[in-house]
Amino acid sequence: MSSKRMDSGSKDIISNLPDALLCHVLSFLPTTEAASTSVLAKRWRFLLAFVPNLDLDNMIYDRPKMGRRKRLELRKSFKLFVDRVMALQGNAPLKKFSLRCKIGSDPSRVNGWVLKVLDRGVEELDLYIASEYEYPLPPKVLMTKTLVSLKVSGTDEFTIDVGEFFLPKLKTLHLSAISFGDEGGPPFAKLISACHALEELVMIKMMWDYWEFCSVSSPSLKRVSIDCENIDENPKSVSFDTPNLVYLEFTDTVAVKYPKVNFDSLVEASIGLRMTPDQVFDARDLVNRHHGYKRCKGANAADFMMGVCNVKTMYLSSEALEVLTFCCKKAIPVFNNLIHLTVETDERVDWESLPILLKNCPNLETLIFEGLHYGDLNQCFDKDYSFKDTNECYGDQGDTCQCKPWYGTPVWLSSSPVKILKVLKFGQISSYKDDMERQTDLIEHFLESMPNLEQVILFYDTTYDDDLKIVSTQLQMLEKVASPKCKIQVISDNISYSFTVYSSSSTKGLNFFKDTFPV
């Protein structure tokens, strides 16, 4: 009986699977690994011919440490391998073709592979071509009716020539470190307009500051992620006409103008606008600030921010917070739909624009700080900031403003609708020697001033158990809490424990329950 069971259990189940299913399984492997299965048995020898996905990558073997001779041998071997795979598959339909390789001055071999898969009706094309020489994308790629997804990246010499574009089925377009030549704006706008079904656009390491204009115009786009690399110049003109866009991730230097910003359907936005280094220097210069410097020259983010004011979820980088202070020539817009806001903080960036921003978020429910740092305002000459006679505006050194960034405009806290307040990286120390005291002081002020808080969560960046106890005990000592139903948690991932402090309507301060529990 036992021997029968052993015979039954030792059967090769995989061999009983149909060829179509085996090819489907092989399609998830890198092509070199899929090809190695041909030695298993006669039946496996030609399965690679029918695998619908090809994933070819010689970058993992082509490294400088190997030496020039070894790398040249591997490149030659890789090319021969790809040639054999192409010959084996013939004209069989292909769903996905992914190619990562380095080439020399002659791109004809790589172009031959790309053109071959286009003739086979490939639907997803993913190319990473590294070259010391200029490599223009074969024009036929941008005139392919079958492509649904196109991802193109490489070195700075990867270019897209100006020409005819027609990609009627393309839904996903990823461009990384791609040059559109000297004209820039017109061919890019032409490319986007040729993608009638485009839903996702990703542009990484783009440099359009020298373009006369950049326009992203598409009624079908739903997701856009743009990361522009150059920081030294302000783009001349940037426009968005994307009425059905629901997600935007945008990192760029503030443009001189935004002639059109149409985000009628936008739900979530991550904004990483920044000033040029020269503009940042002028904005942070103490002499300029004392003379009322309020506006950076040659850039205006007001129209862009007005365009995103309908979002429900928004992330602001610390640089974008600074842009709101210096590059919005109009008032910061009202965000009536915003319910979830995350703000990155930086010790070099003050919070001058934050009170106005939060005041203009009448329905905000969740506020998240990524870090809890702020730059000194150095604006004691301003009556709004030196409103207390008891304030000692300068420390012993006479060069550091001690005024609190939330004072002077307390209405943004006392009228805040925020129910959930989270602080990520709480306790992360900056160059300020009293940074921990500054952060705790700020949390206490939030608790004393925000009347609708239901939950405060501090994600403490510490490896010491006692640090959690100290902060929790300090919060327990508060004499006044604005919201009687607020629950406070101090959590550390490093320790995997949470301390919880509860406020109570029956007491003036906070009740601290000493029990701890794993997070």
Side-chain angles (χ1 to χ4, degrees):
M1 180 69 72
S2 59
S3 61
K4 290 183 179 180
R5 288 177 182 174
M6 184 175 290
D7 291 341
S8 176
S10 62
K11 286 184 178 179
D12 184 0
I13 300 176
I14 295 179
S15 296
N16 293 327
L17 297 177
D19 286 354
L21 185 54
L22 290 176
C23 289
H24 179 71
V25 172
L26 292 177
S27 69
F28 292 98
L29 297 176
T31 303
T32 52
E33 295 182 14
S36 65
T37 63
S38 62
V39 301
L40 296 176
K42 289 184 178 180
R43 184 190 174 199
W44 291 79
R45 189 171 300 172
F46 299 104
L47 285 180
L48 187 62
F50 306 101
V51 173
N53 297 342
L54 294 180
D55 183 0
L56 301 158
D57 183 359
N58 85 325
M59 298 294 290
I60 57 176
Y61 307 110
D62 199 336
R63 298 175 180 174
K65 291 183 179 180
M66 293 181 175
R68 186 173 182 274
R69 177 178 295 181
K70 182 66 174 178
R71 283 186 284 122
L72 291 176
E73 290 177 357
L74 287 172
R75 289 183 191 180
K76 182 178 180 180
S77 176
F78 177 77
K79 291 176 182 178
L80 292 173
F81 172 74
V82 176
D83 286 342
R84 288 197 297 269
V85 172
M86 290 293 188
L88 179 64
Q89 291 203 329
N91 294 319
L94 192 64
K95 182 180 180 182
K96 181 178 180 179
F97 182 74
S98 177
L99 175 65
R100 292 175 56 86
C101 67
K102 290 184 179 180
I103 61 173
S105 59
D106 183 10
S108 58
R109 194 108 169 234
V110 169
N111 287 348
W113 300 336
V114 173
L115 296 176
K116 178 63 175 178
V117 299
L118 293 177
D119 290 337
R120 293 169 58 186
V122 67
E123 297 178 15
E124 300 177 36
L125 183 61
D126 187 349
L127 299 177
Y128 180 92
I129 308 296
S131 175
E132 297 177 359
Y133 305 88
E134 181 175 309
Y135 176 74
L137 188 70
K140 189 176 180 180
V141 173
L142 303 175
M143 289 288 293
T144 304
K145 297 179 180 180
T146 60
L147 279 180
V148 175
S149 174
L150 174 61
K151 299 180 180 180
V152 182
S153 59
T155 63
D156 293 338
E157 299 300 322
F158 205 135
T159 61
I160 292 181
D161 287 341
V162 179
E164 295 299 318
F165 305 130
F166 185 59
L167 298 161
K169 292 185 178 181
L170 194 71
K171 292 185 177 182
T172 301
L173 177 61
H174 288 206
L175 303 174
S176 179
I178 302 300
S179 170
F180 281 85
D182 295 335
E183 295 185 45
F188 171 74
K190 187 177 180 181
L191 171 61
I192 299 301
S193 64
C195 305
H196 306 306
L198 190 63
E199 296 181 359
E200 180 181 7
L201 172 65
V202 177
M203 300 168 62
I204 307 296
K205 296 182 180 179
M206 297 301 294
M207 299 186 69
W208 60 26
D209 53 288
Y210 64 91
W211 297 3
E212 287 301 317
F213 72 91
C214 176
S215 176
V216 180
S217 178
S218 171
S220 59
L221 269 173
K222 296 180 179 179
R223 297 178 63 88
V224 168
S225 298
I226 297 176
D227 185 355
C228 294
E229 194 168 52
N230 189 48
I231 62 173
D232 296 321
E233 299 290 337
N234 299 102
K236 298 178 178 66
S237 174
V238 177
S239 293
F240 292 90
D241 187 9
T242 51
N244 293 303
L245 195 72
V246 295
Y247 176 82
L248 173 68
E249 186 175 346
F250 187 47
T251 301
D252 191 15
T253 307
V254 184
V256 175
K257 60 181 179 179
Y258 297 89
K260 187 168 187 177
V261 183
N262 182 1
F263 293 134
D264 288 347
S265 303
L266 196 62
V267 175
E268 182 175 355
S270 176
I271 309 301
L273 290 178
R274 59 179 176 253
M275 296 185 288
T276 67
D278 288 343
Q279 290 166 342
V280 170
F281 177 82
D282 289 340
R284 296 178 185 174
D285 183 77
L286 300 185
V287 175
N288 288 337
R289 295 295 293 269
H290 278 279
H291 285 83
Y293 182 90
K294 291 290 184 181
R295 188 175 299 169
C296 67
K297 298 179 181 179
N300 185 6
D303 290 332
F304 177 83
M305 294 307 300
M306 185 64 70
V308 301
C309 69
N310 290 322
V311 295
K312 293 182 178 180
T313 300
M314 183 166 68
Y315 174 91
L316 284 179
S317 69
S318 59
E319 293 169 313
L321 191 64
E322 196 167 32
V323 164
L324 292 181
T325 301
F326 297 104
C327 299
C328 279
K329 296 182 180 180
K330 302 175 185 177
I332 295 175
V334 176
F335 293 82
N336 283 314
N337 298 330
L338 191 64
I339 59 175
H340 192 287
L341 173 64
T342 301
V343 178
E344 179 192 35
T345 65
D346 188 291
E347 63 176 295
R348 299 165 297 178
V349 177
D350 66 53
W351 288 10
E352 188 172 348
S353 60
L354 189 59
I356 302 172
L357 173 63
L358 294 181
K359 184 180 177 181
N360 289 355
C361 301
N363 298 301
L364 188 64
E365 296 179 2
T366 300
L367 175 61
I368 300 176
F369 287 103
E370 194 173 288
L372 207 58
H373 309 293
Y374 55 88
D376 289 325
L377 286 165
N378 289 284
Q379 285 190 324
C380 298
F381 63 93
D382 191 329
K383 294 180 180 179
D384 289 337
Y385 289 94
S386 57
F387 75 106
K388 282 186 177 181
D389 295 336
T390 57
N391 274 2
E392 295 182 6
C393 297
Y394 291 91
D396 296 335
Q397 302 301 319
D399 59 355
T400 303
C401 177
Q402 302 298 316
C403 296
K404 308 302 183 183
W406 54 89
Y407 284 172
T409 50
V411 68
W412 70 281
L413 290 178
S414 60
S415 62
S416 170
V418 172
K419 298 178 181 179
I420 300 174
L421 175 65
K422 297 181 181 181
V423 179
L424 310 180
K425 303 177 184 178
F426 178 76
Q428 187 180 67
I429 304 302
S430 67
S431 60
Y432 292 106
K433 61 182 180 181
D434 61 341
D435 199 12
M436 193 61 217
E437 181 181 343
R438 289 156 62 96
Q439 294 184 45
T440 306
D441 194 13
L442 186 49
I443 291 297
E444 290 178 357
H445 194 76
F446 287 152
L447 291 170
E448 292 172 345
S449 306
M450 301 173 73
N452 295 299
L453 280 179
E454 297 178 1
Q455 189 175 28
V456 175
I457 304 177
L458 309 180
F459 294 91
Y460 201 165
D461 184 19
T462 182
T463 57
Y464 300 102
D465 189 34
D466 286 344
D467 287 347
L468 275 71
K469 295 179 181 179
I470 292 171
V471 171
S472 300
T473 302
Q474 189 169 349
L475 296 178
Q476 180 192 6
M477 300 299 290
L478 286 177
E479 296 182 358
K480 181 185 69 173
V481 179
S483 175
K485 55 183 178 181
C486 182
K487 176 183 177 182
I488 305 160
Q489 286 182 284
V490 186
I491 298 173
S492 173
D493 289 338
N494 295 324
I495 303 173
S496 297
Y497 275 86
S498 167
F499 289 80
T500 304
V501 181
Y502 297 92
S503 66
S504 172
S505 58
S506 61
T507 62
K508 293 182 179 180
L510 297 168
N511 291 330
F512 173 47
F513 293 83
K514 296 183 180 179
D515 57 311
T516 63
F517 53 91
V519 176

